[in-house]
Amino acid sequence: MIYQIYPRSFADSDGDGIGDLPGITARLEHLADLGVDAAWLSPFYVSPMADAGYDVADYRDIDPVFGTLADADALVAEAHRLGLRVIVDLVPNHTSDQHVWFKAALAATPGSPERARYIFREGKGEHGEEPPNHWRSVFGGPAWTRVTGPDGLPGQWYLHLFDVTQPDLDWTNPEVREEFHDVLRFWLHRGVDGFRVDVAHGLVKAEGLPDWDYDHGLLDSTEKLGRPPMWDQDGVHEIYRAWRKVLDEYDDRVLVAEAWVEPPERLAKYVRHDEMHQAFNFEYLTTRWVAADLREVITSSISATAAVGAPTTWVLSNHDVVRHTTRLALPLSGPKRPNGIKATDPQPDQVLGLRRGRAATAVMLALPGSAYVYQGEELGLPEHTTMPDDARQDPTFFRTGGTVAGRDGCRVPIPWERNAPAYGFSPSGRSWLPQPESFAGHAADQERGVPGSTLELYREMLRLRRELGLGLGELEWVDDLGGDDVVAFRRGEVLVVANLGGEPVPLPSGTRVLLTSGPLDEQDRVPTDTTVWLTPAS
Ligand code: NOJ
């Protein structure tokens, strides 16, 4: 199991209210104790933080807010001492506008080699006053911004699929490719075990940058509209084949694609034998709490990755989506992937969300393949759904004129000790995003050693997953266990039963409960929104 650390919000050692590398190092035992195999760290590089570090100004150094290169080395060494591997985040689709390359591009003239590292184009219209095409930014608003030339006059436009401060690199330029090979080697030499590759499906744009008039998120309905010209172009694969060769110069390192791509067969292309090792399964993440939908996505995910001989992956939460302990309580009529929840929105039932969240994780951690857990989900943390607008920091909120809440609600610093300042996140009590009062009851020290707590449930699931080898092997569906609203499958000796329906489900005879995501009812039946792991009674 891979545990995602969001450095800004994990643990702050120096009291500035922003998490840092020494803070992480000091808390790594929490991961080892939980039973984690590897930690993936969201970006910690030098950055003006316009997109919380996904706007990188220097790929070979640490932002002072997070620490130093020596702190990174110490973190990797301590993780390895504890038997944990370390995966770092690489952001190749765009740099920060504060990167030396972009500064040089702005100072240079159209047609110069400095501009050729990015996607600069002349505008349309008589005076070039119209953007080169109609693409929209993922964060809202146009994907093009016009620059003022060195002569002080309005000049070319540059592409930014994300924030205006995140210019897209031009991956048709060999210099860009070389630079990233070098960045890979820089971190591989320092001993990191692999990379999570940001927006891996976005690096290559369709030839000629054809118009695309639709608003688009990271994952678009390719079925309805065809493949958008900015995502999942076939040319990306040759980039990852070259990266794989670089990784193969070292022992046992991994590449993980953040690719919002569907259907699963397209995603599977990223994990062919000579490309990446794993790709996030976002179709699984966006699947609703509906038995038939779950069965379908599990089946299609397994068969798509099996066809290319790669492990399937499973993920329910990360720093870009509403935490699943809250998301699963939202009405089915809403969007599959809501972009944050505001204080003025209808408030989800957190008790229902946590019950479903635990049941959903108990399904996920029984599946074959690699599972990803986002910091705080082992504490049952909910999304912060009542954050004041004036505390928000996600560019999505600003680029949509405050109409879309964005991702701050899942990025709130996590609670360690109920009675410490900022719940143990920071010695000064500061916290870059406000923590809701409900976090007090979820603090790690309130759950550690407490039977039935979410933390103990995760520990037990991970212990059994390892002991029973659930990450490997086949999955066999069981159809006759209580109707359509029951998801039931066998993993060797283990029978997993998740009840998504309204009626309690009796335990099959001859079985013994290994683990349950919530209490059984008085008649020892599996109540609604509960998952059990069973084993033969004898
Ligand atoms: C995906 C990252 O997960 C997200 O947080 C970021 O804003 C975009 N990529 C742009 O880098």
Side-chain angles (χ1 to χ4, degrees):
M1 186 276 269
I2 296 116
Y3 182 100
Q4 180 189 356
I5 294 178
Y6 195 65
R8 298 178 76 74
S9 304
F10 191 71
D12 171 24
S13 72
D14 61 9
D16 65 358
I18 301 176
D20 47 45
L21 300 187
I24 295 171
T25 306
R27 298 269 190 194
L28 279 178
E29 291 215 7
H30 173 75
L31 272 64
D33 185 55
L34 189 60
V36 165
D37 301 305
W40 147 39
L41 279 77
S42 282
F44 44 46
Y45 313 103
V46 176
S47 164
M49 306 287 167
D51 184 21
Y54 282 94
D55 47 323
V56 179
D58 182 350
Y59 292 86
R60 297 179 184 81
D61 206 354
I62 308 291
D63 196 275
V65 88
F66 294 132
T68 61
L69 275 174
D71 293 331
D73 292 342
L75 188 158
V76 172
E78 175 63 359
H80 287 167
R81 189 186 71 77
L82 292 167
L84 302 166
R85 307 180 82 202
V86 179
I87 295 172
V88 298
D89 213 314
L90 191 67
V91 189
N93 180 66
H94 43 264
T95 69
S96 160
D97 62 351
Q98 297 306 307
H99 191 282
V100 283
W101 273 9
F102 195 69
K103 290 187 185 169
L106 289 186
T109 50
S112 59
E114 288 83 0
R115 289 221 168 165
R117 297 162 175 154
Y118 293 91
I119 304 182
F120 278 87
R121 293 288 183 278
E122 299 301 330
K124 289 190 173 156
E126 205 183 328
H127 306 288
E129 68 281 10
E130 302 281 333
N133 70 24
H134 293 169
W135 293 8
R136 316 267 307 157
S137 150
V138 172
F139 293 157
W144 293 93
T145 291
R146 194 171 193 187
V147 300
T148 305
D151 52 6
L153 295 172
Q156 289 189 304
W157 298 70
Y158 69 90
L159 178 71
H160 52 88
L161 289 179
F162 294 89
D163 191 51
V164 57
T165 61
Q166 293 167 295
D168 281 51
L169 288 163
D170 186 345
W171 276 86
T172 63
N173 184 336
E175 195 188 354
V176 171
R177 296 189 183 217
E178 278 313 309
E179 168 68 0
F180 275 86
H181 289 174
D182 198 63
V183 170
L184 288 172
R185 289 198 177 93
F186 178 87
W187 289 102
L188 291 166
H189 272 307
R190 295 199 98 86
V192 307
D193 299 289
F195 302 89
R196 174 264 190 194
V197 182
D198 189 64
V199 204
H201 60 315
L203 274 49
V204 172
K205 280 77 181 172
E207 184 83 43
L209 309 180
D211 260 334
W212 182 260
D213 291 326
Y214 311 96
D215 250 339
H216 59 87
L218 278 171
L219 178 69
D220 250 322
S221 169
T222 45
E223 264 166 46
K224 247 192 312 183
L225 304 170
R227 186 165 320 122
M230 66 290 287
W231 300 140
D232 194 28
Q233 301 298 307
D234 290 336
V236 291
H237 295 290
E238 148 200 344
I239 297 173
Y240 303 129
R241 279 191 205 108
W243 286 21
R244 177 62 177 260
K245 288 199 181 111
V246 174
L247 259 79
D248 286 348
E249 294 165 13
Y250 300 78
D251 281 350
D252 206 17
R253 314 290 169 105
V254 295
L255 287 169
V256 183
E258 188 227 15
W260 294 82
V261 167
E262 55 181 27
E265 292 72 30
R266 287 289 308 179
L267 183 64
K269 289 185 185 288
Y270 289 77
V271 288
R272 287 177 288 194
H273 74 281
D274 56 350
E275 297 194 36
M276 303 224 197
H277 300 79
Q278 297 187 5
F280 289 108
N281 185 349
F282 292 123
E283 200 159 337
Y284 184 69
L285 183 151
T286 53
T287 299
R288 297 169 194 273
W289 191 235
V290 173
D293 296 5
L294 265 180
R295 278 191 291 266
E296 194 179 311
V297 71
I298 292 170
T299 301
S300 60
S301 305
I302 292 176
S303 74
T305 44
V308 293
T312 318
T313 68
W314 313 102
V315 59
L316 288 167
S317 282
N318 65 30
H319 65 293
D320 288 331
V321 300
V322 171
R323 283 184 178 275
H324 73 279
T325 40
T326 297
R327 194 178 68 236
L328 296 178
L330 295 172
L332 291 180
S333 54
K336 274 174 128 180
R337 191 164 71 89
N339 200 344
I341 296 173
K342 289 180 153 193
T344 48
D345 289 333
Q347 292 295 298
D349 175 344
Q350 300 287 16
V351 174
L352 173 68
L354 181 55
R355 193 168 69 233
R356 287 188 178 164
R358 290 166 53 120
T361 306
V363 171
M364 175 174 89
L365 291 180
L367 295 172
S370 261
Y372 286 78
V373 165
Y374 175 48
Q375 67 178 36
E377 69 170 84
E378 78 281 19
L379 305 173
L381 283 192
E383 180 86 358
H384 189 346
T385 57
T386 55
M387 186 181 292
D389 281 354
D390 61 10
R392 293 197 179 276
Q393 310 227 3
D394 184 353
T396 308
F397 179 75
F398 301 101
R399 287 186 60 86
T400 58
T403 54
V404 179
R407 304 160 294 175
D408 294 310
C410 63
R411 297 176 172 182
V412 176
I414 64 172
W416 295 95
E417 288 104 28
R418 183 185 184 113
N419 294 317
Y423 304 126
F425 165 67
S426 167
S428 66
R430 290 169 67 189
S431 171
W432 70 283
L433 287 172
Q435 298 165 299
E437 275 171 25
S438 64
F439 273 25
H442 291 284
D445 72 341
Q446 299 300 296
E447 299 196 13
R448 197 169 295 119
V450 176
S453 70
T454 306
L455 181 55
E456 291 305 324
L457 173 66
Y458 270 67
R459 282 185 66 206
E460 186 60 1
M461 288 191 289
L462 291 168
R463 189 185 68 76
L464 288 170
R465 180 176 169 83
R466 194 180 292 239
E467 191 178 296
L468 303 169
L470 295 180
L472 299 170
E474 305 295 314
L475 175 147
E476 187 193 329
W477 290 112
V478 178
D479 295 326
D480 50 359
L481 263 183
D484 284 352
D485 292 332
V486 174
V487 171
F489 53 85
R490 242 177 244 293
R491 300 296 330 285
E493 291 267 276
V494 180
L495 173 62
V496 177
V497 180
N499 182 5
L500 284 73
E503 295 302 315
V505 174
L507 291 179
S509 57
T511 59
R512 177 171 68 81
V513 175
L514 265 182
L515 174 142
T516 164
S517 71
L520 301 183
D521 73 4
E522 320 72 54
Q523 295 163 54
D524 263 0
R525 295 174 304 183
V526 186
T528 183
D529 298 329
T530 303
T531 300
V532 289
W533 294 7
L534 306 167
T535 189
S538 52

